Amino acid sequence: MHDFSAEAMGLVIREHRLARTPAMTQEELAERAEYGKGGAVSVSRIERGLISPGEHRLAALALALRMTPGQLKQQAEDRTRSLAALRGQRPVKLRDQVQETKRRHAGITEKVGERTKITQEHGEAFNHVHDIARDAFFLRFVELAESIGGAPEPDRPYDGEPESADGIPAAIRVDAMSAGIAHAIRGAAAGGAAGVVLGAAGVAVGGAAAYGAFTAAALFGTASTGAAISTLSGVAATNATLALLGGGTLAAGGAGMAGGVLLLTGMVAAPAAALAAAGFYVLRKRRTKKEEERLRAEVETAEAAMDQSQQGFDAMIDVLDRATATMEYVSVHGTHALEKWRAGLPPEPRDWDALGRAGQERYKEFLTVAGCLVAVGSINVSALLTAEPDALRAMDLAIDETLRYADRTIKSIV
């Protein structure tokens, strides 16, 4: 993780952008840093200190500004220290103190509102492409796979019990998920428990619950209540799955990595909750010294909480952005490849041997893509918002490994 504030990084980037001759616009910087559509909005948010770019984005911005990432970071760290020194200077007169506190209160309120908006945009964007990939690729593949009799079940590559999911390398985790999916497909095709769960869930609330119930039967044995997931159906089965995956319950808006946009936006706004109790003082034209000190203390507490959560927020937005790109790739290229494979399948009833070697290999590859989708979709991004610095670093590394592996693997297949 880094030692600079989002505000400092934003100021440094803005100054270097405007220092060019002629001055570079936000649109031009976004284009040179390969942000894609709507990139100017992202650059604007960075310059305003609302978000800080991830490592790959920071490197692209530095290159666009003809700097090295190290130079950009060092200048941001230096600016962070100078901003902290300025913030520690307190006006002498009460009237000036009141105005400064009012300004800082308004700044926090605006920043919370912007964070909430950013979270909502990224969460909804992820859920949109996630649902397309789920319905057009994952569930479609499951439907086709169930029609193939005699498909072999791959060996589970990992049977140990690590201290945490983060202790399992991404490749092994994806292989285990793919093997579990294959196992559930065999059970569903045979009319077993997995098939019962899938059917009941689909009837109850559609694709989201069908997906949740299916992956539950595929990857896990029991819910947190101790009841076998194969005995659950509908929302209950989906909730059990998503709780284990880390995606939140369906009732909380789960069915995806975003874990419910409302849940995330509520967590994002939490650091400013302390301002609610003393906020009415801001509206008063006159405040006593005691009231001013109380409000100032609340503002400082909220500022500290916002600063402390900034890196977790930045990490969450970066993960959502990268995961959205992966899901979007599958929703376009994965579904196209799957349809091409479907067109070449023999008529039903289908037998594994009738697929031929090429068809069988494609089946296994699509299983891997499905495992990658579950691995990416099960990342618990909400935990990034509340993680302590050391835990955040470990989580960030594990998530980065999963995203890199999934992206590389999927693009090598479809």
Side-chain angles (χ1 to χ4, degrees), residues 45-398:
R45 287 169 171 169
I46 290 172
E47 291 186 352
R48 291 156 61 197
L50 297 173
I51 56 175
S52 190
E55 288 295 327
H56 64 297
R57 290 294 192 194
L58 188 144
L61 287 167
L63 181 63
L65 294 170
R66 297 181 181 177
M67 302 172 68
T68 66
Q71 290 173 328
L72 198 55
K73 289 180 181 179
Q74 185 59 57
Q75 291 187 25
E77 289 175 10
D78 293 341
R79 183 59 62 85
T80 299
R81 287 189 287 271
S82 64
L83 289 173
L86 286 173
R87 184 177 289 181
Q89 297 177 2
R90 182 175 181 178
V92 177
K93 294 181 179 180
L94 177 60
R95 180 180 61 185
D96 295 336
Q97 292 177 14
V98 168
Q99 290 303 315
E100 184 200 32
T101 302
K102 184 177 181 180
R103 175 185 58 78
R104 290 167 65 180
H105 182 280
I108 295 172
T109 303
E110 180 183 6
K111 191 168 186 177
V112 168
E114 289 291 341
R115 276 196 188 183
T116 300
K117 182 179 179 181
I118 293 168
T119 301
Q120 185 172 6
E121 289 176 358
H122 282 75
E124 289 178 351
F126 171 81
N127 280 338
H128 175 70
V129 294
H130 167 271
D131 290 353
I132 294 175
R134 176 198 67 201
D135 296 342
F137 178 84
F138 189 96
L139 293 177
R140 179 60 173 151
F141 169 67
V142 167
E143 180 185 2
L144 292 171
E146 287 177 1
S147 70
I148 301 171
E153 181 180 345
D155 296 330
R156 288 186 178 273
Y158 190 85
D159 293 322
E161 295 185 2
E163 294 182 0
S164 68
D166 291 342
I168 308 175
I172 296 178
R173 191 156 58 243
V174 168
D175 286 348
M177 290 179 173
S178 299
I181 292 168
H183 174 75
I185 287 172
R186 286 166 58 89
V196 173
V197 172
L198 178 60
V203 171
V205 288
Y211 171 74
F214 183 85
T215 51
L219 306 177
F220 305 102
T222 60
S224 58
T225 59
I229 291 180
S230 60
T231 67
L232 305 175
S233 63
V235 175
T238 309
N239 288 348
T241 309
L242 296 174
L244 287 166
L245 290 175
T249 65
L250 192 68
M257 179 176 63
V261 175
L262 289 177
L263 173 63
L264 283 181
T265 53
M267 294 179 68
V268 165
L275 291 180
F280 73 94
Y281 289 129
V282 178
L283 303 177
R284 298 178 60 170
K285 293 183 178 180
R286 292 180 178 275
R287 292 199 289 272
T288 65
K289 187 175 181 179
K290 184 176 181 179
E291 291 171 341
E292 166 59 23
E293 290 178 349
R294 177 183 175 185
L295 179 57
R296 185 182 185 86
E298 297 289 2
V299 167
E300 290 176 347
T301 298
E303 286 177 338
M306 292 289 285
D307 290 344
Q308 187 176 4
S309 64
Q310 183 69 53
Q311 291 192 12
F313 175 76
D314 293 338
M316 180 190 74
I317 295 302
D318 184 59
V319 169
L320 283 171
D321 188 43
R322 294 169 63 187
T324 297
T326 297
M327 291 289 175
E328 191 169 21
Y329 186 91
V330 172
S331 69
V332 175
H333 301 283
T335 54
H336 176 76
L338 184 64
E339 178 59 26
K340 186 176 180 180
W341 179 66
R342 183 206 63 79
L345 290 175
E348 296 189 53
R350 301 184 179 105
D351 183 77
W352 176 253
D353 293 333
L355 266 62
R357 175 167 293 183
Q360 292 172 355
E361 287 302 313
R362 206 57 174 154
Y363 171 96
K364 295 176 183 177
E365 289 176 340
F366 287 140
L367 264 180
T368 299
V369 174
C372 286
L373 282 182
V374 174
V376 171
S378 64
I379 294 172
N380 187 0
V381 292
S382 62
L384 294 169
L385 292 172
T386 57
E388 294 296 326
D390 289 343
L392 182 59
R393 286 190 201 88
M395 291 171 62
D396 197 47
L397 288 173

